[in-house]
């Protein structure tokens, strides 16, 4: 049996009919002057053409229309890449200028701006390293000041008064600034002291009493210098090689007690200990103390630059009371090679 027909609702023809979306038929047509009211979803203030409405209905049967697309949106409707967002944030931060974000950007800039690195030569100069290659070419007044600075670095714990007492005056030094030969010790000695070879040929009266005392910074350098002056070696007069590597102090003391030497080449530590702790190295014939300031090692350091060597040089050798007394008397001179 067919269901009874639904009762029709009474309508007032005099009043405006209330039409809901549920009662619209698919054949319903909008009037030409119809325009949707402005709401929060449509802020462009423009009326929409009825042609923009689509025929498909939503789940409730209501017709719907697509939202308007802005002109600057991409066709694929892909979200902006993260890099662009990061760039926008940086631009906004820099544009702000004030507040926490501006301060943060300023910190970033400060962090990125690295301090320029000092050249290696400048760093070495601050440490007093590397300029000693031309130390022997300085005039006496400048040489005294340079040695005083090296002495201060070697003995930093001494007071100013103590440093003044240990300062090497010009009378202790020989000016060899005019001697440009600095590549070979034998050639240097012959150029700076033409009569010295004849003096070295004389046989000392006492064993272990050299005429020249050459101070170098390391054992390998001592060996090199001994080879450079080997021509001064004779059957009666030897060239002593004095350093701690491979040789005990007692062995060197025994050697000097039995051997007459014209030149003794050694490190500051071994020379100082032979002077202070043994009675084998004598100063009776000593006329020159040669400081090897020409040679620079792999770290661009010379004898007066090496912390481990220059302290022993100024304290154990040039600070030895017997050597100081001989320097004051003018019987011995210091030469910068």
């Amino acid at each position: 049996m067919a269901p009874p027909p639904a009762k029709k609702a009474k309508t007032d023809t005099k009043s405006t009919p209330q039409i809901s979306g549920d009662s619209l038929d698919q054949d319903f047509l909008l009037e030409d002057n119809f325009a949707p009211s402005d709401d929060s979803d449509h802020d462009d203030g423009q009326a929409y053409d009825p042609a923009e409405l689509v025929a498909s209905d939503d789940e409730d049967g209501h017709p719907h229309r697509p939202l308007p697309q802005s002109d600057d949106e991409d066709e694929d409707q892909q979200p902006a890449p993260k890099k662009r967002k990061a760039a926008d944030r940086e631009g906004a931060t820099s544009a702000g200028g004030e507040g926490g974000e501006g301060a943060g950007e300023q910190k970033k800039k400060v962090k990125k701006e690295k301090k320029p690195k000092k050249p290696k030569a400048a760093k070495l100069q601050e440490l007093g390293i590397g300029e000693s290659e031309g130390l022997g070419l300085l005039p006496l007044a400048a040489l005294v000041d340079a040695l005083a600075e090296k002495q201060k670095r070697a003995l930093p714990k001494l007071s100013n008064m103590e440093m003044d007492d240990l300062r090497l005056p010009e009378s202790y030094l020989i000016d060899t600034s005019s001697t440009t030969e600095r590549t070979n010790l034998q050639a240097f000695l012959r150029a700076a002291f033409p009569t010295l070879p004849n003096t070295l040929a004389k046989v000392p009266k006492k064993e272990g009493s050299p005429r020249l005392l050459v101070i170098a910074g390391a054992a390998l350098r001592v060996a090199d210098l001994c080879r450079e002056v080997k021509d001064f070696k004779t059957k009666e007069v030897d060239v002593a090689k004095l350093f701690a590597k491979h040789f005990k102090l007692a062995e060197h003391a025994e050697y000097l007690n039995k051997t007459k030497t014209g030149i003794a080449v050694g490190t500051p530590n071994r020379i100082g200990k032979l002077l202070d702790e043994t009675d084998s190295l004598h100063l009776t014939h000593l006329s020159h103390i040669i400081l090897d300031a020409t040679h620079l090692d792999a770290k661009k350091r010379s004898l007066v630059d090496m912390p481990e060597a220059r302290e022993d040089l100024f304290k154990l050798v040039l600070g030895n009371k017997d050597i100081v007394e001989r320097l004051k008397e003018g019987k011995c001179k210091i030469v910068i090679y």
Side-chain angles (χ1 to χ4, degrees):
M1 175 181 289
K7 295 181 180 181
K8 294 183 181 179
K10 294 181 180 182
T11 56
D12 188 1
T13 56
K14 295 181 180 181
S15 60
T16 304
Q18 299 294 328
I19 302 175
S20 64
D22 295 338
S23 63
L24 290 177
D25 296 331
Q26 293 184 356
D27 296 334
F28 176 77
L29 297 178
L30 295 175
E31 296 180 0
D32 294 339
N33 60 353
F34 173 79
S37 60
D38 294 341
D39 54 20
S40 59
D41 294 334
H42 308 90
D43 55 357
D44 53 3
Q46 297 180 357
Y48 294 96
D49 188 19
E52 292 180 354
L53 294 175
V54 294
S56 61
D57 297 340
D58 55 14
E59 294 179 356
D60 297 332
H62 301 294
H64 65 82
R65 58 181 177 82
L67 294 176
Q69 295 183 359
S70 59
D71 296 336
D72 56 350
E73 287 184 352
D74 297 336
E75 293 180 0
D76 297 335
Q77 296 294 323
Q78 296 295 333
K82 294 182 179 180
K83 292 185 179 179
R84 182 179 298 176
K85 292 181 180 180
D88 295 339
R89 285 197 300 269
E90 291 180 1
T93 304
S94 59
E98 295 181 0
E101 294 183 356
E105 180 65 19
Q106 187 176 3
K107 289 182 180 178
K108 288 183 180 179
K109 290 183 179 180
V110 173
K111 187 176 182 180
K112 290 181 180 179
E113 294 176 359
K114 296 182 179 179
K115 294 182 180 180
K117 293 184 178 180
K118 293 183 179 180
K120 188 174 182 180
K123 290 183 178 180
L124 294 176
Q125 188 175 6
E126 287 184 359
L127 299 175
I129 296 175
E131 73 277 10
S132 301
E133 188 174 6
L135 200 63
L137 301 177
L138 296 175
L140 280 180
L143 180 58
V144 168
D145 293 337
L147 289 176
E149 180 64 24
K150 300 294 184 181
Q151 194 175 39
K152 184 178 180 180
R153 294 178 183 274
L155 306 171
K157 295 182 180 181
L158 296 183
S159 63
N160 293 333
M161 184 176 297
E162 291 173 327
M163 290 299 302
D164 291 340
D165 294 337
L166 295 176
R167 184 182 177 91
L168 303 175
E170 292 185 17
S171 59
Y172 289 8
L173 303 165
I174 293 180
D175 187 358
T176 58
S177 58
S178 60
T179 305
T180 57
E181 174 56 57
R182 304 279 168 169
T183 57
N184 182 276
L185 180 57
Q186 177 178 304
F188 169 77
L189 292 175
R190 291 184 183 277
F193 312 103
T195 61
L196 185 61
N198 296 331
T199 303
L200 292 174
K202 297 179 181 180
V203 180
K205 296 180 180 180
K206 187 175 182 61
E207 289 79 7
S209 181
R211 300 183 187 277
L212 264 64
L213 193 58
V214 183
I215 311 297
L220 291 177
R221 181 58 177 169
V222 171
D224 291 339
L225 292 175
C226 287
R227 285 191 288 269
E228 291 181 7
V229 296
K230 63 181 182 179
D231 289 347
F232 295 119
K233 182 178 179 180
T234 65
K235 293 182 179 180
E236 294 84 9
V237 183
D238 197 9
V239 175
K241 183 168 55 177
L242 308 173
F243 53 80
K245 192 174 183 179
H246 307 310
F247 297 98
K248 295 181 180 180
L249 183 63
E251 293 176 341
H252 277 150
E254 183 180 358
Y255 162 78
L256 291 173
N257 286 329
K258 297 179 179 179
T259 309
K260 293 182 179 181
T261 58
I263 301 177
V265 186
T267 58
N269 184 270
R270 180 46 55 97
I271 296 294
K273 287 186 176 181
L274 286 170
L275 289 172
D276 291 341
E277 300 178 15
T278 71
D279 190 26
S280 59
L281 184 59
H282 305 285
L283 307 176
T284 307
H285 300 294
L286 185 64
S287 61
H288 297 82
I289 299 176
I290 313 296
L291 302 184
D292 180 37
T294 300
H295 174 73
L296 302 180
D297 64 3
K299 297 181 180 180
K300 302 299 181 183
R301 304 178 305 175
S302 74
L303 168 66
V304 292
D305 297 324
M306 301 176 185
E308 63 275 14
R310 64 185 178 187
E311 180 178 357
D312 292 334
L313 171 66
F314 289 108
K315 187 176 181 179
L316 300 181
V317 180
L318 299 181
N320 180 271
K321 60 180 182 179
D322 294 331
I323 288 183
V324 172
E325 187 65 26
R326 196 165 182 84
L327 289 169
K328 288 181 178 180
E329 294 176 355
K331 297 179 180 179
C332 181
K333 297 290 184 179
I334 299 173
V335 179
I336 304 299
Y337 167 54

